[in-house]
Amino acid sequence: SQQGEEDPQALSIQEGENATMNCSYKTSINNLQWYRQNSGRGLVHLILIRSNEREKHSGRLRVTLDTSKKSSSLLITASRAADTASYFCATGVYNTDKLIFGTGTRLQVFP
Amino acid sequence: DSGVTQTPKHLITATGQRVTLRCSPRSGDLSVYWYQQSLDQGLQFLIQYYNGEERAKGNILERFSAQQFPDLHSELNLSSLELGDSALYFCASSGAGTGDEKLFFGSGTQLSVL
């Protein structure tokens, strides 16, 4: 079964608004990563947060991790039409080399 | 361009057939991951190889097999194909294969089983 479940499944916003996506997972992790996929293309890595970190920033991206609740969130600030894509969280399963992906959030940003 | 090359980009075949998908990792990367993406199952982890050896296994069917060769390229073999095997198959690579690094994904092979 999928390690991560994402919420919401789909999100539509206007340009300039913030977009927040949430990810919940089931087991212990080494790290949690977020990836972006444009319409059927290969996934592109966005950001990695380690299990001992609580928050990380990269440009307009902010990721939080709460290991006690087994959850993470990705915030995209000041969204642009070019941010339209599917976003996936992926968990590095503790003590393994597996990277398991969630179900994804489809983000649509309208100009 | 991620530096990961997958061939072919598209593959159309019939049920019962066997196909081979090929992946060349980024230069210097030792680890290769295979994933299957379908509409109803999302992105499923199949298998991971590190420097020629199987490192981790996921939801890979017995009809599927993979290997990583000494030059580090990898092949995913799918046999006795069924309609439900139609999906986008991704290969990804990383340096150390520790599960603690980001992955670089290829553009995928779209498999259609008719």
Side-chain angles (χ1 to χ4, degrees):
Chain A
S1 63
Q2 296 279 10
Q3 169 79 336
E5 297 293 331
E6 290 173 68
D7 170 58
Q9 288 187 321
L11 180 60
S12 295
I13 58 174
Q14 295 289 131
E15 258 189 337
E17 294 180 339
N18 295 341
T20 300
M21 292 159 250
N22 302 296
C23 169
S24 61
Y25 56 92
K26 297 174 184 175
T27 63
S28 298
I29 61 171
N30 295 319
N31 64 76
L32 188 141
Q33 305 180 35
W34 286 88
Y35 288 78
R36 168 192 166 128
Q37 183 181 34
N38 282 36
S39 160
R41 296 192 174 188
L43 284 76
V44 175
H45 180 266
L46 295 176
I47 195 166
L48 180 153
I49 186 165
R50 302 198 185 282
S51 59
N52 60 354
E53 296 176 311
R54 291 297 167 257
E55 187 170 315
K56 205 160 185 180
H57 296 255
S58 176
R60 292 184 296 113
L61 306 180
R62 173 179 169 252
V63 170
T64 61
L65 178 64
D66 187 336
T67 52
S68 67
K69 294 181 179 178
K70 292 186 166 54
S71 67
S72 173
S73 68
L74 171 68
L75 168 68
I76 304 174
T77 60
S79 62
R80 306 165 181 168
D83 294 329
T84 295
S86 291
Y87 292 81
F88 293 86
C89 68
T91 47
V93 179
Y94 179 73
N95 218 28
T96 77
D97 297 323
K98 296 182 183 181
L99 190 65
I100 304 298
F101 283 78
T103 50
T105 293
R106 291 188 309 279
L107 174 65
Q108 175 86 49
V109 182
F110 291 99
Chain B
D1 181 11
S2 68
V4 178
T5 304
Q6 286 189 251
T7 56
K9 291 195 184 309
H10 302 277
L11 201 47
I12 302 174
T13 188
T15 54
Q17 294 297 305
R18 182 179 188 275
V19 297
T20 297
L21 313 184
R22 183 188 167 101
C23 169
S24 295
R26 285 192 323 153
S27 177
D29 281 357
L30 299 178
S31 189
V32 169
Y33 296 73
W34 285 98
Y35 289 88
Q36 177 194 58
Q37 186 175 35
S38 57
L39 288 175
D40 57 342
Q41 292 292 318
L43 200 69
Q44 296 282 333
F45 168 69
L46 296 179
I47 198 163
Q48 181 218 353
Y49 280 82
Y50 175 76
N51 203 21
E53 300 209 353
E54 182 184 308
R55 181 70 74 92
K57 213 165 188 176
N59 302 323
I60 188 165
L61 299 172
E62 285 191 12
R63 299 184 287 109
F64 296 0
S65 65
Q67 55 183 327
Q68 186 179 28
F69 294 86
D71 67 352
L72 301 177
H73 91 271
S74 178
E75 293 181 356
L76 179 67
N77 300 297
L78 315 176
S79 62
S80 303
L81 285 167
E82 302 175 358
L83 296 177
D85 297 327
S86 295
L88 194 48
Y89 290 84
F90 285 109
C91 162
S93 73
S94 70
T98 60
D100 203 28
E101 298 178 320
K102 64 182 180 181
L103 300 189
F104 294 86
F105 277 78
S107 56
T109 294
Q110 179 69 59
L111 174 67
S112 299
V113 182
L114 305 179

